[in-house]
Amino acid sequence: MIYIVYWSQSGNTQAMAQAVAEGAKSAGAEVSIMEVSAADDTVLQGSALLLGCPAMGSEELDDTEMEPFFSSIEGKLSGKNVGLFGSYDWGDGEWMRTWQARCEAAGAKMLADGVIANLEPDSDALAECKALGEKAAKA
């Protein structure tokens, strides 16, 4: 089972999550996709965990839902297959690099560099999301 957990304010990261799920399903994986408010640490039991969150504030994770959830599982990521994705409106992707570095420091096995899209994901970003899902299915 591949778990895809996301937080989306405008729908852009939700669209990316759906593309990740499509990619994983097309590669034969069983997928559970959910908003972060519905997630708990059982998502760590899957073969891969894919997390999505847009850049908020000064390029950081959403502090109301995603940051508290991620902090609660961060210490349990060692050896887990993890992928990250999200959209942004400003900046240069620093939030994604920081998030990825936190995962790596926790011992996660990153499936790929974090996938980012400026605002609404274009066809290239959606293709990257599908590829991330396919990698998760093969992990």
Side-chain angles (χ1 to χ4, degrees):
M1 174 72 72
I2 293 172
Y3 288 95
I4 301 169
V5 178
Y6 70 93
W7 185 85
S8 187
Q9 182 174 18
S10 65
N12 293 335
T13 300
Q14 181 179 16
M16 295 176 79
Q18 290 166 341
V20 171
E22 283 177 37
K25 288 177 185 174
S26 73
E30 199 174 332
V31 173
S32 177
I33 182 172
M34 68 191 76
E35 292 185 23
V36 68
S37 59
D40 59 33
D41 66 359
T42 60
V43 300
L44 296 168
Q45 297 170 7
S47 59
L49 175 59
L50 304 172
L51 300 167
C53 185
M56 301 298 290
S58 57
E59 287 216 63
E60 53 204 27
L61 296 177
D62 159 64
D63 63 359
T64 59
E65 293 187 47
M66 184 55 83
E67 178 59 46
F69 173 74
F70 182 73
S71 291
S72 77
I73 65 166
E74 189 170 0
K76 303 172 187 171
L77 293 177
S78 184
K80 303 290 182 189
N81 294 313
V82 175
L84 304 174
F85 59 93
S87 63
Y88 68 101
D89 184 12
W90 62 92
D92 67 357
E94 178 185 351
W95 103 102
M96 185 60 70
R97 292 189 300 275
T98 301
W99 197 11
Q100 184 168 328
R102 286 175 67 185
C103 290
E104 290 168 345
K109 292 191 272 183
M110 299 306 297
L111 297 168
D113 285 338
V115 177
I116 61 175
N118 184 247
L119 298 173
E120 185 176 346
D122 62 14
S123 58
D124 289 344
L126 292 174
E128 283 186 65
C129 288
K130 288 179 183 174
L132 177 60
E134 290 169 6
K135 284 181 186 175
K138 296 172 183 170

